[in-house]
C-alpha cells in the first residue's frame, strides 16, 4: 500500500509565492510519473504540472512561467513552486503519482490567493 501526502498550502496574497510538497511512502518499487492537479468547486480536476512517463514536463498554459515542478527521486518527493500567484489559482491541489504501475492520489491541500 502506498500513500501520498501533500503539504505547503495556505493563504497568500496576490503576487505571492507558495511551495507545495508531496511525499510518497509505502511499498514503492517504481514511480514512473508524478505531478500536480487542482480542483475548484463545481469543476473537474485539471492538470497543473507533471513529469510524464517519458521524462518530459507538462504545464498547464495558465501556469507556464509562474509555476515550476521539481522532484527528488531519492526521497520520492515532488514539489511545486508557485510564484506570482493569482486569485484564479485558488483551488485544492492534489498530488498524483504512477506508483507500481497504479495511479495514486493525495488527499489535497488548499491554496487560497486573496487580499
Amino acid at each position: 500500500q502506498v500513500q501520498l501526502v501533500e503539504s505547503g498550502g495556505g493563504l497568500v496574497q496576490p503576487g505571492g509565492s507558495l511551495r507545495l510538497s508531496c511525499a510518497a511512502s509505502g511499498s514503492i518499487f517504481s514511480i514512473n510519473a508524478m505531478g500536480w492537479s487542482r480542483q475548484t468547486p463545481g469543476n473537474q480536476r485539471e492538470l497543473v504540472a507533471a513529469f510524464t512517463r517519458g521524462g518530459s514536463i507538462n504545464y498547464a498554459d495558465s501556469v507556464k512561467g509562474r509555476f515550476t515542478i521539481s522532484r527528488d527521486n531519492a526521497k520520492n518527493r515532488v514539489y511545486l513552486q508557485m510564484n506570482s500567484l493569482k486569485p484564479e489559482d485558488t483551488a485544492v491541489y492534489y498530488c498524483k503519482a504512477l506508483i507500481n504501475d497504479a495511479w495514486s492520489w493525495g488527499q489535497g491541500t488548499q491554496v487560497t490567493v486573496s487580499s
Side-chain angles (χ1 to χ4, degrees), residues 38-93:
R38 65 187 180 188
Q39 188 171 23
T40 54
N43 293 310
Q44 289 187 336
R45 203 168 290 187
E46 64 171 0
L47 173 71
V48 176
F51 290 96
T52 69
R53 273 184 264 195
S56 60
I57 298 175
N58 289 336
Y59 289 101
D61 288 342
S62 60
V63 307
K64 285 180 180 177
R66 299 188 298 121
F67 291 11
T68 302
I69 189 172
S70 61
R71 66 190 294 182
D72 184 332
N73 292 331
K75 296 181 179 179
N76 292 331
R77 286 179 176 264
V78 65
Y79 306 96
L80 186 67
Q81 178 66 43
M82 305 186 294
N83 299 328
S84 303
L85 282 160
K86 304 175 181 180
E88 51 263 43
D89 294 318
T90 295
V92 177
Y93 284 71

Side-chain angles (χ1 to χ4, degrees), residues 3 6 13 16 19 21 29 31 35-37 40 43 45 67 71 74 87-88 110 114:
Q3 187 177 18
E6 302 102 333
Q13 292 186 341
R19 186 182 190 229
S21 177
F29 301 101
I31 302 179
W36 295 90
S37 295
T40 54
N43 293 310
R45 203 168 290 187
F67 291 11
R71 66 190 294 182
E88 51 263 43
Q110 177 70 46
S114 175

